[in-house]
Amino acid sequence: MATGRNHRPATRSRGIPEATVARLPLYLRALTALSERSVPTVSSEELASAAGVNSAKLRKDFSYLGSYGTRGVGYDVEYLVYQISRELGLTQDWPVVIVGIGNLGAALANYGGFASRGFRVAALIDADPALSGRQVAGIEVRHVDELESIIDTNGVSIGVITTPGGAAQQVCDRLVAAGITSILNFAPTVLSVPDGVDVRKVDLSIELQILAFHEQRKAAEALAQDVPEPLAAEAAPSGPGRDQGPDGDIPAVMPA
Amino acid sequence: MATGRNHRPATRSRGIPEATVARLPLYLRALTALSERSVPTVSSEELASAAGVNSAKLRKDFSYLGSYGTRGVGYDVEYLVYQISRELGLTQDWPVVIVGIGNLGAALANYGGFASRGFRVAALIDADPALSGRQVAGIEVRHVDELESIIDTNGVSIGVITTPGGAAQQVCDRLVAAGITSILNFAPTVLSVPDGVDVRKVDLSIELQILAFHEQRKAAEALAQDVPEPLAAEAAPSGPGRDQGPDGDIPAVMPA
DNA sequence: CAATCTTTGTGCACGCGTTCACAAAGGCAT
DNA sequence: ATGCCTTTGTGAACGCGTGCACAAAGATTG
Ligand SMILES: NC(=O)c1ccc[n+]([C@@H]2O[C@H](COP(=O)([O-])OP(=O)(O)OC[C@H]3O[C@@H](n4cnc5c(N)ncnc54)[C@H](O)[C@@H]3O)[C@@H](O)[C@H]2O)c1
Ligand SMILES: NC(=O)c1ccc[n+]([C@@H]2O[C@H](COP(=O)([O-])OP(=O)(O)OC[C@H]3O[C@@H](n4cnc5c(N)ncnc54)[C@H](O)[C@@H]3O)[C@@H](O)[C@H]2O)c1
């Protein structure tokens, strides 16, 4: 296994590509389902299909973890579940705090799939005094004043932000100052954090806008196929009724 | 091209890179904030900073849309807001249905940021008869039996799935059969859809697992620093602290 | 009008991720 | 043991995305 024999300095030789890391949870989920059905082994083709990826990609991904397969047979499901779990750090318990217990925060707190993978909600935190002491999903909501002590006491390193956007950076700063080094941000805000702190964001609005882009493109394509010449001004099948062609644009909103 | 003479490379707007499309909403959000503060123009440097990206990347992104900047000055905020909105298809109204009005579905229905960008909740749909007729966020929950007629009547092309994982594929199939061509999936399931249907997924569990991976790696590195290792020769300068939220989002648009 | 200053737009190089294609490896039957 | 069949692991090619660096473009000033 001469892994570090490239012309490239092996400063990150142990490094698993980020794209691969992002797919490991997907493989793990598929493998867990197989495990529950007591399937002993699985081929890269089958597993790739279940995970919705290309089989060559899956094999290459696994090759970064080591040679865990058997040629002519496939992969041992249980063994692979363990290896991936270990690689992702799921063999240990990760206490998590959720800050901002509104609509979304409460939904997350109630989410069962949370605890299913070693993530434990250590505390729910909100700035609203009216919420303090209330129970949400069987967990007492604590006031944001206690944020630092809660994190310190429970050794929390992962924080989830579900406050309004305006409060997100401020909450983030406090979390980081208190020792948090990984943040999952649901607020529509670009968080700025010091080096060494990971931030991942989930933004419903952005996802919808990306879908809308492709939706518009599809509609424009369908339209262009029906009408070769850009002259159909009144064609409106159902919802998507565009006012401008995708190409001959440049409307009248010219800047000064 | 009716608007006078403008020397644009034409034949350009055919394909905007997917990575660029995914950043446009980010730019739009930053620009909207500037617009609300009545800032007239903004440089690529300032805007890039606000959006949390590299300025060269931002300029290249905008170059795919056309030459909307003025050298020596920057970009006209209002004009750019309009151009990006148009490119993303936000100048029109997008009716959306949410299927599965539980914890998460209800939170989404209550989410104000939904309507702020041309997305309108056309209907809430659930299989539970006990929910039918109930009001959530001021919108009546309809039974899943009405799914097809609701989509057809309202010309809905975007669907959000917030059912349990076990029901997701089934709901997806019905949505697609009813004419939906864009799906935002919150269930932990790999959806299989025909060509021409876009699927994007949001998965809390996957995000947490990715964070856990890096968290574990950071912990291991901190440990390795205490115990001197002979191969730590060159990795000293800012070695551990490099990974900000790399935004390394893997596009989840899968055709099949 | 010319000089200077600012900032865009992009050519280019590089690295990462994806995919193909196939030799090697192992199981299994004979 | 031998040969055949299946499937892994990976070398190599390719395409996409990123960031550097700079010439061109326009504003601004003298
Ligand atoms: N609800 C959704 O479906 C949804 C979807 C996408 C994004 N988001 C985003 O998630 C965030 C929360 O959304 P929501 O609908 O739950 O909002 P919400 O108003 O229902 O809840 C926000 C909560 O945060 C608390 N809060 C405010 N400032 C705080 C502070 N400084 N410290 C601690 N807590 C504080 C409030 O008391 C409130 O309980 C928003 O940023 C929203 O844009 C929500
Ligand atoms: N709640 C969260 O924070 C969270 C986070 C991440 C992912 N998820 C995922 O989102 C989904 C919903 O989570 P939840 O906590 O809201 O669950 P939930 O059980 O509270 O709600 C699910 C709803 O879907 C409805 N439903 C079930 N089958 C249906 C069908 N065939 N057609 C229409 N409706 C149907 C149920 O009646 C219920 O109202 C789950 O897949 C969950 O894994 C939830």
Side-chain angles (χ1 to χ4, degrees):
Chain A
M1 307 298 121
T3 46
R5 201 54 73 206
N6 304 341
H7 56 287
R8 181 135 180 77
T11 45
R12 299 274 196 258
S13 68
R14 189 64 188 119
I16 299 176
E18 189 59 31
T20 295
V21 173
R23 281 188 294 267
L24 290 183
L26 220 52
Y27 301 145
L28 183 56
R29 183 198 294 160
L31 284 164
T32 303
L34 290 172
S35 173
E36 281 165 4
R37 288 196 286 135
S38 300
V39 177
T41 61
V42 64
S43 72
S44 65
E45 201 69 53
E46 293 169 309
L47 185 55
S49 167
V53 302
N54 182 295
S55 71
K57 194 188 296 187
L58 177 141
R59 287 198 299 275
K60 178 143 289 190
D61 283 342
F62 285 175
S63 79
Y64 294 117
L65 309 183
S67 292
Y68 294 149
T70 304
R71 296 175 188 230
V73 176
Y75 298 91
D76 183 274
V77 171
E78 296 299 332
Y79 186 56
L80 206 45
V81 164
Y82 173 73
Q83 289 298 339
I84 295 179
S85 294
R86 191 177 51 78
E87 198 67 56
L88 286 172
L90 304 181
T91 50
Q92 63 182 281
D93 198 60
W94 293 103
V96 172
V97 293
I98 303 176
V99 187
I101 313 303
N103 287 313
L104 186 58
L108 295 182
N110 275 300
Y111 180 45
F114 228 123
S116 74
R117 292 236 176 282
F119 298 99
R120 181 173 49 83
V121 180
L124 306 177
I125 301 176
D126 201 290
D128 188 351
L131 281 175
S132 297
R134 285 263 185 83
Q135 295 255 332
V136 171
I139 304 169
E140 185 188 337
V141 178
R142 314 275 290 272
H143 191 265
V144 73
D145 286 348
E146 303 179 73
L147 187 146
E148 285 80 8
S149 69
I150 291 171
I151 290 172
D152 190 54
T153 303
N154 296 79
V156 182
S157 54
I158 300 178
V160 178
I161 297 180
T162 50
T163 65
Q169 182 62 58
Q170 177 188 348
V171 166
C172 172
D173 291 343
R174 282 186 72 172
L175 287 173
V176 170
I180 292 282
T181 45
S182 286
I183 292 175
L184 183 52
N185 181 32
F186 285 84
T189 313
V190 176
L191 293 181
S192 108
V193 294
D195 281 357
V197 177
D198 285 312
V199 175
R200 294 191 65 87
K201 68 174 195 301
V202 173
D203 196 312
L204 168 69
S205 182
I206 287 181
E207 299 300 326
L208 283 177
Q209 289 174 52
I210 295 172
L211 285 177
F213 171 85
H214 290 113
E215 199 59 40
Q216 186 187 42
R217 197 175 45 75
K218 281 182 283 190
E221 252 173 36
L223 205 64
Q225 202 152 25
D226 290 345
V227 186
E229 295 304 311
L231 280 174
E234 228 255 323
S238 54
R242 285 182 41 72
D243 41 1
Q244 293 271 351
D247 226 1
D249 41 46
I250 315 295
V253 193
M254 285 300 287
Chain B
M1 321 282 183
T3 31
R5 67 162 201 88
N6 67 332
H7 32 62
R8 201 148 59 100
T11 66
R12 164 76 67 179
S13 57
R14 275 298 168 263
I16 297 178
E18 190 58 31
T20 295
V21 173
R23 281 188 294 268
L24 291 181
L26 222 51
Y27 302 145
L28 183 56
R29 184 197 293 159
L31 285 165
T32 304
L34 291 171
S35 173
E36 280 166 5
R37 288 196 286 135
S38 300
V39 177
T41 61
V42 64
S43 73
S44 65
E45 202 68 53
E46 295 169 308
L47 185 54
S49 168
V53 303
N54 181 294
S55 71
K57 196 189 297 188
L58 177 141
R59 287 198 299 276
K60 180 146 293 189
D61 283 343
F62 285 176
S63 80
Y64 293 117
L65 308 183
S67 291
Y68 295 149
T70 305
R71 295 174 191 230
V73 175
Y75 298 90
D76 183 273
V77 172
E78 296 299 332
Y79 185 58
L80 206 45
V81 164
Y82 175 74
Q83 288 299 339
I84 295 179
S85 295
R86 191 179 52 80
E87 198 66 56
L88 286 172
L90 305 182
T91 49
Q92 62 181 281
D93 198 61
W94 292 104
V96 172
V97 294
I98 304 177
V99 186
I101 313 303
N103 287 312
L104 187 57
L108 294 182
N110 275 299
Y111 180 43
F114 227 123
S116 74
R117 291 236 175 282
F119 298 98
R120 180 173 49 83
V121 179
L124 306 177
I125 301 175
D126 201 289
D128 188 350
L131 282 175
S132 296
R134 285 263 185 83
Q135 294 256 332
V136 171
I139 304 169
E140 184 187 337
V141 178
R142 314 275 291 273
H143 191 265
V144 72
D145 285 348
E146 303 179 73
L147 187 145
E148 285 79 9
S149 68
I150 291 171
I151 290 173
D152 190 53
T153 303
N154 297 77
V156 182
S157 54
I158 300 179
V160 178
I161 297 179
T162 51
T163 65
Q169 182 63 58
Q170 179 188 347
V171 166
C172 171
D173 291 343
R174 283 187 70 172
L175 287 174
V176 170
I180 291 283
T181 45
S182 286
I183 291 176
L184 183 52
N185 180 32
F186 285 84
T189 314
V190 176
L191 294 180
S192 107
V193 294
D195 280 358
V197 176
D198 285 313
V199 175
R200 295 190 66 86
K201 68 174 193 303
V202 172
D203 196 313
L204 168 70
S205 181
I206 286 182
E207 299 300 324
L208 283 176
Q209 289 174 52
I210 295 172
L211 285 177
F213 172 85
H214 290 113
E215 200 59 40
Q216 188 186 42
R217 198 176 46 76
K218 281 184 282 191
E221 251 173 38
L223 205 63
Q225 204 155 24
D226 291 344
V227 184
E229 195 77 15
L231 45 86
E234 255 273 359
S238 76
R242 191 204 65 85
D243 27 30
Q244 216 266 46
D247 210 350
D249 222 353
I250 310 304
V253 186
M254 32 192 161

